[in-house]
Amino acid sequence: KLGDTANETKEDLEQIKQATQGEALAEAAEAISVVGDKIQELGENAVAAYTEVESAVTKVNAYFGETGEEAEKSASVIKNVYGSGVGESMDSVANAVIMVKKNLGDLSETDLTNITQQAITLDEVYGIDMNETLRGVNSLMQQYGLTAQEAMDYIVKGTQNGLDKTNELGDNLSEYAGKFSQAGYSASEYFQLLDNGLKNGAYNLLLEDFLRVVDPFPALRAVDDVAIFVLLLYLYAHKT
């Protein structure tokens, strides 16, 4: 009887082994299938990503007729900007690169990358129209001899300090920077003047009022900015 029991146990173990092997094979097959699906998905995503990059790069290259090194530079900028997490899509980044190059001309790859990132961020985070921002950058470059990066830094800092509260900072810069430059103000003084106006509640005064006071009387440059804004408040209150 002991021998019979041993044989029965052996048979039971064989059945368990076979069942276990069957389950293991089934699990392995299922795992291989899942891996295969993942590989296929990755492959499809890679193709889609490549197509998106190619489409974005081609758009910029075609717009400016770029070939060779210039074409490669634009491609690198688009990839780096989007890779940094800025921009809703490769196509939106391509549109931003086109706008930056249209407004600011030839820039180094580093400057083009940084300024595109900043322009998109101002647009997406602060809701500032990108074209107006870049027009403001261009105006500061032309009127004060700043580099594109220096000009953009002024706008970014000004925005962070609240100078775009009327959503017109870029537009005002493009329209009035030349006037302030002619009145003898440096870029730093110009932004300090706007900042003082903001702090003293006079920011919403029309810039024409300021220019109407300063242009005919350059001596007012020696007057404290706050005093000028007090005068502007008076003028603004008595506008007809």
Side-chain angles (χ1 to χ4, degrees), residues 68-130:
E69 291 184 3
E70 279 301 309
E72 291 176 4
K73 182 173 81 172
S74 292
S76 178
V77 169
I78 292 171
K79 293 174 185 176
N80 289 336
V81 170
Y82 188 68
S84 70
V86 175
E88 296 179 351
S89 65
M90 284 281 188
D91 188 64
S92 69
V93 173
N95 290 333
V97 170
I98 289 174
M99 195 172 293
V100 171
K101 289 169 72 74
K102 276 176 58 179
N103 280 276
L104 307 183
D106 186 36
L107 299 173
S108 69
E109 182 175 329
T110 298
D111 285 347
L112 182 57
T113 299
N114 292 338
I115 289 173
T116 301
Q117 287 176 329
Q118 289 173 305
I120 293 174
T121 300
L122 288 174
D123 184 80
E124 292 182 346
V125 176
Y126 294 94
I128 302 173
D129 182 78
M130 189 182 302

Side-chain angles (χ1 to χ4, degrees), residues 140 144 169 172-178 180-181 185-195 207:
L140 291 174
Y144 294 104
L169 178 58
N172 286 338
L173 293 175
S174 64
E175 187 169 357
Y176 298 113
F180 277 84
S181 177
Y185 282 83
S186 67
S188 178
E189 290 171 330
Y190 178 17
F191 275 84
Q192 186 60 56
L193 183 68
L194 295 176
D195 190 56
L207 287 174

